[in-house]
Amino acid sequence: METVVEPLEGNKIKLSVTIDEAEFEKALAATYRKIAKEVRIPGFRPGKAPRRILEARLGKEAARAEAIRGSLPGYYSEAIKEHDVDAIAPPEIDITGGELDGPISFDAIIEVRPQVQIAGYGGLRVTIPSPELTDDEVQTQLDRLRTNFGELRPVDRPAEDKDHLTIDLTLTRWDDEDGQGRTNEDLLYELGSGSFGKELDEHLAGANVGDHLHFTADVPALAGQADGDDELAAPRQLIYDVDVKEVKEMILPEVTDDWASEASEFDTVEELMADIDKRLRVTKRAQAKAALRTQAVDAVADLVQEDPPEALVDQEVSSRAQDLESMLRQQGLSLGQYLTATGRSQQQLLDELKVQGAQTVKADLALRALADLEGIEADEAAVDAEIGLLAERFGITPGDVRHQLEDADQMAALRSDVRKTKAIDWLVGHIEVVDPEGQTIDRAQLEDPPDTPTPLAPVAAAEA
């Protein structure tokens, strides 16, 4: 088989392939064997009719056309492997010779993964949450634990922040034709939580038992919608009807050694506070490290000026949509129910997925470019380590994982993923990192000490 690669405009190439008659004869013979098993020829058992009989009965042209159709994908696959072609979409194939006799030749127009520019990647800077723990965050976590043992008591005063109100809440969309809305009766609502929008908190602050509140509030437009589309970008309005039925305050227990022994595995407040402090430090470091990796990738992706190929974006959108539908099925929900609950249309969801997909593709292209520029490769030790992780996850041996990947022709994809992970590691190690106040963060602050405990749930300040 002879192959020639010719670059075309954009991110396309032309791959010209010629298969000589002797090589194609193997495919032709296999086709005749297949036909012999499928057709009934009087006087011959299935699969035993000679080739000359089949040629006379069916015609050489039909058998040759079937052989070409069946063998072309294999010839194409072999050719792109030979030239290490990184195809990102199905090829446009044109048979240029051999349809009747002689060598088989065809041209394949292939869209390949483009190489992008990431000028300035060496001077990137990202802002992440500070990994340092504050006294207020420790106190917030302690109060959260105290809340689990708190007591709600009715009060005869206007509602204040952190009070718990029993309310009947009806939400109606301004454009709802029947005007029925959705009612939550006897809803226990913590004032200041923002669970139903900040406007509800604003109107409930200072409310008394027996008050009825009626107001309209704008719900911000969904993220990821196309600029310039007034219909998509317009905020939605909800009509709130609220009846205040009860106001209670949370009475927290005193922080004593007796309470600490009841609320935790520790005998004293000092031991409990030390454990909270240690676990929160682990949590903040983990949050900061995760933010650093995410924002570093976003920063290098933003350097890509080229539009990502539609073929790659479409693949990413399809993958995200399948993941979403799978997640919804596990929760017993349909896509239609999800769209209704989130106030989206199907087109709005698709637009959002396209924005996310485009950013993901740009990140992929940027990391590949970074690996090229810095000479980062997927060495065998790193590949073996990744295979080991996959083996542990699926409960099979590393050898079985490797065999499955090789059989599915996925080893190249695995090496690419390992290479991109190493590119992220390089980026994380070289990018400038500052906290929200602009102070440089020492990477040593992000490292966990020995005997690291399990992190606690994020405190409010870290979540913000």
Side-chain angles (χ1 to χ4, degrees):
M1 184 171 69
E2 297 180 2
T3 58
V4 177
V5 174
E6 177 186 346
L8 303 177
E9 290 185 2
N11 58 311
K12 291 187 176 182
I13 63 169
K14 182 170 78 171
L15 176 63
S16 299
V17 180
T18 301
I19 302 97
D20 62 35
E21 292 183 87
E23 185 173 359
F24 180 66
E25 174 58 31
K26 300 175 185 177
L28 192 57
T31 298
Y32 275 113
R33 288 194 296 271
K34 179 174 179 291
I35 293 174
K37 294 177 181 179
E38 296 174 348
V39 300
R40 296 283 184 174
I41 303 294
F44 296 95
R45 287 179 296 158
K48 298 300 182 179
R51 176 169 170 172
R52 59 182 177 79
I53 299 296
L54 294 172
E55 288 177 346
R57 187 73 175 265
L58 303 175
K60 292 183 178 181
E61 292 80 5
R64 189 176 183 86
E66 176 64 18
I68 292 174
R69 186 192 65 79
S71 62
L72 240 58
Y75 295 139
Y76 168 76
S77 179
E78 183 180 345
I80 63 172
K81 285 182 181 179
E82 177 185 345
H83 291 277
D84 197 22
V85 175
D86 190 4
I88 62 173
E92 299 175 13
I93 292 181
D94 178 32
I95 299 175
T96 56
E99 290 185 272
L100 297 179
D101 54 36
I104 304 296
S105 61
F106 66 89
D107 291 337
I109 306 300
I110 309 170
E111 186 175 6
V112 297
R113 196 182 311 272
Q115 294 182 327
V116 299
Q117 302 297 316
I118 50 171
Y121 73 90
L124 291 174
R125 170 176 171 168
V126 295
T127 301
I128 66 172
S130 172
E132 293 302 308
L133 185 63
T134 67
D135 293 340
D136 286 343
E137 290 169 332
V138 175
Q139 185 62 48
T140 298
Q141 187 65 43
L142 179 64
D143 289 344
R144 178 179 292 174
L145 181 59
R146 292 171 68 199
T147 299
N148 295 336
F149 294 84
E151 179 185 353
L152 289 175
R153 296 178 184 174
V155 294
D156 186 18
R157 59 163 173 77
E160 298 177 355
D161 192 43
K162 301 301 182 183
D163 281 346
H164 289 69
L165 284 66
T166 302
I167 61 175
D168 289 344
L169 171 64
T170 300
L171 298 175
T172 308
R173 288 183 59 153
W174 69 273
D175 56 353
D176 190 347
E177 293 182 358
D178 59 25
Q180 295 300 311
R182 180 180 299 177
T183 299
N184 294 277
E185 293 184 349
D186 294 327
L187 174 67
L188 186 62
Y189 181 77
E190 182 181 353
L191 184 54
S193 66
S195 301
F196 290 87
K198 65 179 182 179
E199 291 83 3
L200 179 59
D201 290 327
E202 293 171 354
H203 283 79
L204 283 176
N208 290 285
V209 173
D211 284 354
H212 175 79
L213 309 176
H214 176 85
F215 58 94
T216 301
D218 290 336
V219 178
L222 296 172
Q225 294 169 342
D227 293 337
D229 191 326
D230 293 336
E231 182 179 351
L232 294 182
R236 296 170 294 145
Q237 287 187 319
L238 291 178
I239 300 171
Y240 288 71
D241 283 285
V242 188
D243 290 307
V244 182
K245 303 172 76 171
E246 194 171 28
V247 178
K248 295 180 179 180
E249 65 177 343
M250 176 67 72
I251 305 301
L252 298 179
E254 292 185 21
V255 182
T256 64
D257 288 346
D258 287 341
W259 171 77
S261 63
E262 178 186 358
S264 71
E265 60 187 288
F266 303 101
D267 295 328
T268 67
V269 173
E270 183 179 0
E271 292 173 329
L272 173 60
M273 294 292 285
D275 183 70
I276 290 175
D277 183 283
K278 189 174 184 179
R279 291 179 186 275
L280 281 180
R281 291 184 188 279
V282 173
T283 299
K284 293 213 69 180
R285 283 193 292 268
Q287 291 172 335
K289 286 192 288 188
L292 174 55
R293 292 186 76 84
T294 298
Q295 294 189 37
V297 172
D298 286 342
V300 75
D302 288 341
L303 296 178
V304 178
Q305 299 300 311
E306 299 91 334
D307 291 332
E310 284 296 322
L312 290 177
V313 175
D314 290 344
Q315 291 171 21
E316 184 63 28
V317 168
S318 177
S319 175
R320 287 174 177 269
Q322 290 175 8
D323 290 345
L324 174 60
E325 291 194 80
S326 175
M327 180 191 70
L328 292 175
R329 280 196 301 271
Q330 292 175 3
Q331 298 176 359
L333 297 173
S334 68
L335 180 59
Q337 290 171 321
Y338 171 76
L339 292 173
T340 299
T342 58
R344 290 174 171 92
S345 68
Q346 192 165 356
Q347 186 59 50
Q348 286 172 332
L349 175 61
L350 180 59
D351 291 340
E352 187 175 326
L353 292 178
K354 283 185 176 179
V355 171
Q356 297 169 356
Q359 183 69 7
T360 299
V361 172
K362 289 175 71 173
D364 172 83
L365 296 175
L367 291 172
R368 291 171 185 268
L370 176 61
D372 290 339
L373 291 167
E374 293 297 328
I376 298 170
E377 296 297 338
D379 56 90
E380 285 306 312
V383 172
D384 289 342
E386 183 63 21
I387 288 176
L389 291 175
L390 291 172
E392 184 176 348
R393 183 186 307 169
F394 294 110
I396 58 179
T397 67
D400 287 339
V401 172
R402 184 178 287 273
H403 288 319
Q404 290 180 16
L405 290 170
E406 289 173 346
D407 290 343
D409 201 20
Q410 289 297 306
M411 280 301 296
L414 176 69
R415 293 181 187 279
S416 177
D417 288 342
V418 169
R419 189 168 179 251
K420 286 186 291 183
T421 298
K422 295 182 72 171
I424 296 174
D425 293 338
W426 184 95
L427 188 62
V428 166
H430 289 79
I431 200 169
E432 183 182 359
V433 189
V434 299
D435 64 19
E437 284 71 44
Q439 300 298 315
T440 299
I441 294 178
D442 186 343
R443 282 174 175 76
Q445 297 174 263
L446 304 177
E447 298 304 318
D448 290 328
D451 302 324
T452 297
T454 302
L456 286 172
V459 293
E463 290 171 345

